[in-house]
Each structure stands twice: as C-alpha cells, then as structure tokens.
Amino acid sequence: MQPFPSLPTYSYFLILFFTTFLHHSHSHSQPNNFKTSQEHSQKQTHLNGPHQEYIEVSYPPPKHQPTPSCSHQILHHTFANTINTPPFSTPYSPPFNCPPPWTRVLLHFHAKTKDEQYDRIAAIWLAGVEILRTSTAQPPNSRIFWNVRKDITKYTSLLTKSDLDLTMMLENIVNAELTGVFHVTVTLLYYYKNTVRVPFNQSSDSISISKSKSRPGSRSLVNEVPDSRVLNELPADLIIPLSDDGKQGFWFRLEKEKDLKKRRIRIPRNTFKAVIELYVSFHGNDEFWYSNPPNSYITTNGLNTGRGNGAYREVYVTIDGEVVGSEIPFPVIFTGGINPLFWEPIVAIGAFNLPSYDIEITPFLGKILDGRRHVFGIGVTKGLSFWLVNANLHLWLDRESTIVRANRVIGHSPKTDVQRAEEFTGLNGEFQVIAGKDTMTTGWVLTSSGNITTVVMKGFTFSNVIKFKQNGTYKIVKQKFKFKKKVKVFDNKGEMISKFKVRRKYPLRVITVTEPYGLEDRYNLITNLSHGFNEKYEGKGFIHSISNVQESKGWINVKGHSVLSGRGSTKQNYSHVDKLSCYNRNVASDHGRIVSDNSNFICENAL
Ligand SMILES: *[C@@H]1O[C@H](CO)[C@@H](O)[C@H](O)[C@H]1NC(C)=O
Ligand SMILES: *[C@@H]1O[C@H](CO)[C@@H](O)[C@H](O)[C@H]1NC(C)=O
Ligand SMILES: *[C@@H]1O[C@H](CO)[C@@H](O)[C@H](O)[C@H]1NC(C)=O
Ligand SMILES: *[C@@H]1O[C@H](CO)[C@@H](O)[C@H](O)[C@H]1NC(C)=O
Ligand SMILES: *[C@@H]1O[C@H](CO)[C@@H](O)[C@H](O)[C@H]1NC(C)=O
C-alpha cells in the first residue's frame, strides 16, 4: 500500500509496497498514497513533546468502556524492519486467574510510533484464525499513539484453549529514509456476567482492572454485548481457518484476476450451522479499486499505470468449485490514501478496525457433512495485485449426536449481473458499472433436537460512476452500495425459531482536481471526499445500528509520493443505537487538530 519510488523492486517483498504512480502526465488525477515528510507536516510539534492520540471514531467511547473483570497482556512487540521475516509469534493461553466461561472478551490494541513511515497493513491471528485486521497511522512529525477496541467474543472457542500460537504480521520497511517503527501492545479484557458499563479510566498504556471479580456466569450472551454480530447466538463451537500456512502471515495474497486460493477442510459430521467470516484488504494497484478506470482508457491514452480493470470487485468463496457467497468490500481508505492530511488525527472509517463479512453457509452443509475433505476457495472478481484475504469457518456442533444429516432444498444463486458502460475521448470520459444480485438458499439439517430449516435471502445493488473532465485533471468518483440479508430458521412444524436481518450501505464520493505547479514534477491535488458506513441489524429481541459518515476536504502539494505542503480537514458524524442506548458523536479536525468534538447519549431518532 506504500509506494516508494526510489526502492529497487528486485525482491518479492519490495514489490509489495511498490506501486506505479500515474506519471504519464500531471494533468491526470489519480488517488494515491502519499507520505507526509517530517518537515512538511501540518503541525509544528516537538519531537519530544507528548504523544498525540489518533482515533477511529467508534462505540463505546473511551470514557464509557466497561471495566473488565480481568485483563491479560498477550503481545508486546516492536515492529521494525519486518521485511522478508516471518510474522511475530507468541504463545497464548487463557489467564489462569480468570478462567472461562466469560460472557465477553474484548481485544485492546495499542500502538505508538514517532518517526517517518508509510501506513502499513497488519493482522492478528490466533491458531491461524484472524481476529483483527488493522492498518497503522502515519506519524506526522511527532509522537503519536492509538487504541483500537474490538469485541472478539465470537472467537471464544479458541480463546478458552491453551498453548495456541498468537501471530501478528505488520509489514514494515525501515531504511535511511523511513525510520518509523511501531510499538504494539495487545491486551485481552475478559468479562464475567455481571459486568456493567461503567466509566473506564483510560490512560494511554494501562488498563484498569476491576477489583471485585464476579463469579463466572453462564454462557449467555444477552444484550449487554454492545458491539457483536452474534447478539442472539452463542459463539461457534469450533473455528477452522481458511488461510495460508503462516510463513508470511496467514493471509492469502491474491495477485491476479483468476487467482483462487484453496484449502482442503474436513468439518465435523455433527455440524448444524456454519458461517464463513471473510477478512479482506486491498493494496497496490487495487488500493483504490473503486476509482480504477477500464483498461481501454489506460491503453488508448498510453497511461503508465497498472490501476485498471474498471471499478468493480467482488470477493467470493467457493466450496468444491461452487460459489457459496460473495461480498463487495467496504472501501477502507488507509492513512496515506487520497490526502494523508485528512487522517490527522481522525482516521478513515475502518482504517484501524477493518470490517469482516459473514457468509451464512448452513444451507450448503449437505455438501460437506460426509466426513471427507472439501476444497474451500477464495477469489476476487477482476482483482489486481494485490489482495490480502483469508476467512474463518465458524461451526456450531450438535453435542447430542455424532452425525447430523443435511440437504439443500433451494439454491437460487445466479451469477452477479454486471453491466458496464464507457464513453471517452482522449482523457475526458465517463465510465459506469452497475451490478446486482439476489440469492435465496434454503437447506435443512436433521439435528438431535429436530429437523431445522434455514432460509438465507441476500441481495445487493452496486453502482459506480467515474468521470474525467478538463483533460483528466478533474476526476469524480461516485459509488453506491446497498446490501440486505435475511436469515430465518424454522423447526419441523414450520414455526420460525429465529430470524435476523442486516442492511448495509456504503456511499462514497471523491472529487479530485490536479493543478500543475510550475516545477517539473510537482503538482497540487485538491480533493473533496465523502464516505459513509451504515449498518442495521435486527433480530428477535435485539437491534443494533450504526450510521457513520465522514466529509473531508483539502489540498496537498506533491512531489513524487511526498507531500510538501497542504491542509486537510475532516468532519464526522457517528451514531450508534442498540436496545440499551444511543450514542452520537460529531467531531471535526482541521490542520492536524481536533477543532470540535460533541457527543451525547440522546436517542433522537430511536429505532
Ligand atoms: C484515573 O487515572 C489517573 C491517571 O492514571 C489517576 O490519577 C486517577 O486517580 C484515576 N482515577 C480513578 C477514579 O481511578
Ligand atoms: C426436513 O424438513 C424438510 C422441510 O420440511 C424436508 O423436506 C426434509 O425431508 C426433512 N428431512 C428429514 C430427514 O425428515
Ligand atoms: C486539453 O488538451 C488539448 C490538447 O493538448 C488542449 O488543446 C485543450 O485546451 C486542453 N483543454 C483543457 C480544458 O485543458
Ligand atoms: C469541495 O467542496 C467545497 C465546499 O465544501 C466546494 O466549494 C469546492 O468547490 C469543492 N471542490 C471540488 C473540487 O469539487
Ligand atoms: C453532521 O450533522 C450536522 C447536524 O446534524 C450536519 O449539519 C452536518 O452536515 C453533518 N456532517 C456530516 C459529515 O454528515
């Protein structure tokens, strides 16, 4: 994700961070990664000053984070020149003084850094199962730190096991020019049943531990879990990684369009429910896939860029060659992306905690319950180098029987309908992609407690328009994505025993104007960006909704990949609603500082 023009490209790893900038002409605007060099940061902070906090706005806010029953530091490591080295690994066992069962487990990630560096991608795996995908902030000219909190209760079946390998990969290059290293601490926070939400006394490094340790409660995951996809269900009994061997991290690297990464997996014959959780990030020529023009535009104009293939990507999962589900990823913008000054100190939505995507495959269980190994695959439609993808197979087991039977009744999953239109003359033109799909799959599973039928209905619409005007110096990208999914479960009498509904929307708009700046390889980029993530979960007795929008504007003066001067501002409105509470935060940054920050717990538009 981090281009660095002066690096040679002889090694496998360097290619990883090397992307060709569209240098054919300065009159052609293309989003890119940039690095703010120290002497040109927005701020004039002393290198020895206090650390400044970078944030990804999320829920709950720091002061309202619940006090854990106990905490357990599981990783403490400095990621320096990790290039071409294996990932960092350390043993994990649950804390002896805090035995399971817990009602909830949170992961607290803390990082700090100070010297010049690009944004970097990172992930944490437990026994090869990914539990966090994250990216780093770019240190401007000062000491910075950030914290990420993630509910990882859904990985409980692994967290209770001892002697597992906890692995973290943070691919970093340290050399004469890039000296930034990342100091990372990961702590797990365990909760017993009666934990209440009380203010969390947070200093940058330490985590307070509640003195009164309540007795371990039952496994019930009632609505006190504020941010969990599995509000109405218990965590899976078994999680199998659908990932690489771990020598370079457990993610698969997808380098080209037809790459399908495969893994043979045997699942227990008493599995009655299965969900594939996908983790995805895009880099290199696809870091800004949503703004890639078609190849015809690039070749006709003789542009020197690999960032093509049009602006549509779909990540899909196969079992024995059959597509069982797919996802359009949320366009996460890393901290060096588009205009790095936008992301000081509020980072883009998802940059510190990339979303994962659940694909319900219970209706397909009939294919894989025969006790044999089956080939699971992951690919990216139209994907260019490179994507880092892997998945976790969450399985729920019928403890009362050793074998359950299952079969698919309906399997209506057509190919995605993708329509493309293009029209251009020279560097001016307009490109459109419209895509959509509706699928419905139904399958039954004969368990010890009866014959259960699962119906999964899923649909999405996608549209992307890219326009180039003024000889390509003006570029607008508008993308819309709407997704809905309903999962209903019936018993043998046809009575509904559970249901939930998810809706998501990811609107995105980027306007970029490139202005020549006299000198040979310098130019100004003026950008307006608007970006949103909206999600609503509804089920029996639970509800959870997030509305999150960012608007950024600013300019940068660029030479190569370095920002020489500029200014950026970001406004963000975040709201979180669940059965227990509402939370709203409106925050704005300008010139590297928070200029307004208002939050409340008022339910204005209660669901
Ligand atoms: C919160 O933390 C600060 C600094 O670590 C400390 O001075 C203060 O006493 C703490 N407050 C409570 C209520 O524990
Ligand atoms: C389970 O229920 C479905 C739907 O009612 C039915 O088609 C199927 O035959 C049942 N399976 C068994 C083993 O009875
Ligand atoms: C676009 O380029 C053409 C040819 O170089 C030039 O004649 C024209 O004035 C340019 N138009 C704009 C809007 O810059
Ligand atoms: C960006 O938005 C501002 C208003 O917020 C507007 O004045 C300006 O023209 C926009 N810039 C572009 C390049 O569209
Ligand atoms: C945030 O909300 C305020 C008022 O509710 C509105 O004026 C502003 O445009 C919103 N900002 C964004 C980025 O949506």
Side-chain angles (χ1 to χ4, degrees):
M1 59 208 268
Q2 300 73 20
F4 192 67
S6 65
L7 284 173
T9 58
Y10 50 82
S11 89
Y12 167 71
F13 189 84
L14 287 172
I15 294 164
L16 203 153
F17 294 114
F18 186 94
T19 55
T20 357
F21 185 64
L22 204 118
H23 254 314
H24 168 78
S25 109
H26 294 292
S27 63
H28 181 88
S29 53
Q30 184 88 340
N32 214 315
N33 297 86
F34 302 102
K35 186 169 62 63
T36 337
S37 53
Q38 300 211 344
E39 63 271 36
H40 301 107
S41 163
Q42 298 194 89
K43 291 169 305 237
Q44 288 311 314
T45 327
H46 282 291
L47 256 182
N48 297 323
H51 282 91
Q52 187 194 4
E53 181 167 16
Y54 274 47
I55 54 167
E56 180 183 339
V57 175
S58 68
Y59 183 84
K63 290 213 166 68
H64 289 79
Q65 307 212 337
T67 308
S69 304
C70 45
S71 76
H72 179 35
Q73 183 179 302
I74 55 168
L75 183 149
H76 182 64
H77 187 72
T78 297
F79 292 87
N81 195 35
T82 56
I83 183 169
N84 287 333
T85 64
F88 176 74
S89 246
T90 178
Y92 168 86
S93 290
F96 68 94
N97 60 338
C98 203
W102 315 289
T103 49
R104 180 176 171 204
V105 185
L106 299 188
L107 180 150
H108 183 104
F109 176 98
H110 173 82
K112 58 184 178 188
T113 183
K114 64 173 197 288
D115 297 316
E116 210 163 332
Q117 194 49 268
Y118 279 118
D119 51 349
R120 302 299 191 191
I121 189 73
I124 299 176
W125 297 267
L126 190 56
V129 167
E130 183 160 355
I131 59 175
L132 176 72
R133 180 77 57 103
T134 186
S135 69
T136 67
Q138 288 203 55
N141 185 20
S142 55
R143 296 159 180 261
I144 62 164
F145 74 95
W146 64 99
N147 289 303
V148 186
R149 282 229 169 169
K150 178 173 178 182
D151 190 315
I152 56 163
T153 312
K154 63 183 163 188
Y155 307 110
T156 294
S157 66
L158 277 171
L159 294 165
T160 56
K161 289 189 185 151
S162 294
D163 303 320
L164 301 180
D165 276 333
L166 183 98
T167 306
M168 178 166 168
M169 185 68 163
L170 189 161
E171 296 178 321
N172 195 22
I173 300 172
V174 173
N175 57 27
E177 276 190 64
L178 300 169
T179 51
V181 302
F182 298 93
H183 305 280
V184 174
T185 307
V186 178
T187 307
L188 297 192
L189 310 176
Y190 300 87
Y191 295 82
Y192 291 120
K193 197 172 184 211
N194 298 322
T195 314
V196 286
R197 294 186 193 171
V198 292
F200 173 65
N201 190 358
Q202 195 189 36
S203 61
S204 70
D205 261 333
S206 67
I207 282 151
S208 60
I209 297 169
S210 80
K211 286 182 201 91
S212 59
K213 193 178 116 187
S214 48
R215 274 180 48 74
S218 72
R219 267 183 89 202
S220 105
L221 274 179
V222 280
N223 287 333
E224 51 186 327
V225 185
D227 183 30
S228 172
R229 301 284 152 68
V230 289
L231 282 167
N232 64 339
E233 68 182 15
L234 297 172
D237 298 299
L238 178 68
I239 309 172
I240 301 176
L242 167 44
S243 57
D244 209 352
D245 59 15
K247 287 188 191 108
Q248 306 270 330
F250 287 91
W251 41 40
F252 290 118
R253 266 178 88 81
L254 274 85
E255 302 274 4
K256 50 186 186 293
E257 222 173 308
K258 298 276 186 281
D259 252 3
L260 181 69
K261 297 295 180 178
K262 295 179 202 157
R263 176 112 193 196
R264 286 176 173 274
I265 294 175
R266 188 198 321 268
I267 71 161
R269 302 193 68 184
N270 60 343
T271 303
F272 71 90
K273 175 179 158 74
V275 171
I276 291 179
E277 181 192 21
L278 262 183
Y279 276 95
V280 171
S281 56
F282 25 90
H283 308 276
N285 286 336
D286 261 356
E287 181 171 345
F288 308 100
W289 59 267
Y290 44 83
S291 78
N292 283 14
N295 297 340
S296 53
Y297 178 77
I298 294 168
T299 42
T300 307
N301 287 300
L303 300 177
N304 173 27
T305 181
R307 295 183 171 183
N309 258 11
Y312 180 74
R313 302 290 182 273
E314 191 177 336
V315 186
Y316 58 92
V317 177
T318 61
I319 301 178
D320 297 335
E322 179 187 4
V323 175
V324 295
S326 65
E327 283 286 340
I328 310 278
F330 172 70
V332 176
I333 301 165
F334 301 119
T335 54
I338 299 184
N339 176 343
L341 306 183
F342 289 169
W343 319 123
E344 295 179 1
I346 304 172
V347 303
I349 301 167
F352 284 163
N353 185 1
L354 279 81
S356 64
Y357 308 88
D358 287 346
I359 298 175
E360 172 84 41
I361 59 156
T362 305
F364 297 93
L365 278 177
K367 275 172 87 90
I368 50 176
L369 279 178
D370 55 4
R372 300 213 170 101
R373 297 207 297 168
H374 291 270
V375 181
F376 286 70
I378 309 180
V380 181
T381 304
K382 290 275 173 189
L384 293 178
S385 183
F386 61 94
W387 288 63
L388 296 173
V389 295
N390 55 200
N392 302 326
L393 181 55
H394 293 251
L395 303 174
W396 285 259
L397 309 179
D398 184 350
R399 285 167 183 169
E400 305 294 314
S401 66
T402 50
I403 294 182
V404 304
R405 285 202 292 136
N407 205 357
R408 199 176 345 164
V409 185
I410 305 172
H412 175 67
S413 47
K415 279 204 159 160
T416 308
D417 179 28
V418 185
Q419 292 180 24
R420 297 162 202 275
E422 63 176 63
E423 196 183 343
F424 65 92
T425 313
L427 288 164
N428 294 328
E430 182 169 338
F431 309 95
Q432 195 173 21
V433 186
I434 294 173
K437 174 152 76 177
D438 280 298
T439 63
M440 177 160 139
T441 45
T442 300
W444 55 263
V445 183
L446 187 62
T447 70
S448 61
S449 50
N451 184 352
I452 294 169
T453 298
T454 304
V455 180
V456 181
M457 281 171 285
K458 213 173 142 171
F460 75 83
T461 57
F462 169 94
S463 83
N464 178 295
V465 178
I466 300 174
K467 283 184 202 169
F468 291 101
K469 296 179 190 167
Q470 294 160 20
N471 288 349
T473 60
Y474 177 96
K475 179 177 184 178
I476 176 161
V477 176
K478 266 192 223 173
Q479 182 165 294
K480 285 183 191 159
F481 174 73
K482 279 189 198 176
F483 164 90
K484 62 178 194 296
K485 178 168 78 177
K486 273 187 205 170
V487 178
K488 294 182 183 172
V489 183
F490 300 92
D491 66 11
N492 4 356
K493 290 181 232 112
E495 306 248 340
M496 194 169 358
I497 47 180
S498 86
K499 75 165 180 184
F500 77 90
K501 203 161 76 176
V502 191
R503 283 166 189 277
R504 281 180 170 186
K505 276 190 208 171
Y506 316 147
L508 173 74
R509 199 192 60 181
V510 192
I511 301 173
T512 315
V513 178
T514 313
E515 286 175 351
Y517 186 77
L519 298 165
E520 181 50 27
D521 57 348
R522 281 178 72 168
Y523 57 99
N524 282 333
L525 271 184
I526 302 124
T527 310
N528 281 4
L529 167 75
S530 143
H531 195 201
F533 179 92
N534 299 295
E535 177 180 80
K536 188 169 175 183
Y537 265 77
E538 281 173 275
K540 233 177 172 175
F542 75 91
I543 193 155
H544 158 93
S545 113
I546 291 171
S547 154
N548 197 355
V549 55
Q550 282 183 327
E551 275 172 18
S552 306
K553 57 184 186 206
W555 61 275
I556 43 177
N557 183 260
V558 181
K559 182 179 167 137
H561 285 287
S562 288
V563 174
L564 300 186
S565 58
R567 182 161 186 160
S569 66
T570 291
K571 287 184 189 157
Q572 182 164 12
N573 286 357
Y574 177 93
S575 95
H576 175 109
V577 178
D578 64 22
K579 247 187 112 186
L580 293 177
S581 65
C582 302
Y583 169 65
N584 305 290
R585 184 171 182 187
N586 289 10
V587 54
S589 67
D590 184 27
H591 225 45
R593 285 192 177 80
I594 301 280
V595 291
S596 76
D597 191 354
N598 297 300
S599 54
N600 65 52
F601 292 86
I602 300 165
C603 292
E604 273 162 359
N605 311 306
L607 294 158

